[in-house]
Amino acid sequence: MSDGASATDGIADVHYVACRECGRLVESVEEPHLTGRDCTGAVTTREEYRQKYPAAPVVTQSVHHQRSERTT
């Protein structure tokens, strides 16, 4: 994939991922963004987003790394 993402894990090795619903660049596609005023509101959860766009990255590698460090 050209954007550095793996289709299976949804993690992109970039600074921002583009929301496929609205086109905005975000560090993570999740509920606050999807339900916020800047997005379409047609998809409201990450699960719905992953179903609609299965190959789309949903989080940057740096955010994923930060979150995984907090849980270990």
Side-chain angles (χ1 to χ4, degrees), residues 9-14 16-17 26-30 46 56-65 67:
D9 62 15
I11 302 167
D13 188 15
V14 293
Y16 297 98
V17 293
V26 295
E27 290 183 327
S28 181
V29 178
E30 45 192 50
R46 183 180 277 184
V58 293
V59 66
T60 63
Q61 189 167 4
S62 62
V63 169
H64 174 72
H65 182 70
R67 290 179 182 171

Side-chain angles (χ1 to χ4, degrees), residues 4-66:
S6 167
T8 57
D9 62 15
I11 302 167
D13 188 15
V14 293
H15 295 290
Y16 297 98
V17 293
C19 174
R20 302 270 172 102
E21 280 294 300
C22 67
R24 288 185 61 90
L25 297 177
V26 295
E27 290 183 327
S28 181
V29 178
E30 45 192 50
E31 286 81 0
H33 167 71
L34 294 169
T35 59
R37 64 183 180 150
D38 295 327
C39 201
T40 66
V43 174
T44 59
T45 66
R46 183 180 277 184
E47 291 78 25
E48 290 175 354
Y49 185 87
R50 294 294 305 261
Q51 288 176 353
K52 188 171 182 179
Y53 307 104
V58 293
V59 66
T60 63
Q61 189 167 4
S62 62
V63 169
H64 174 72
H65 182 70
Q66 289 171 356

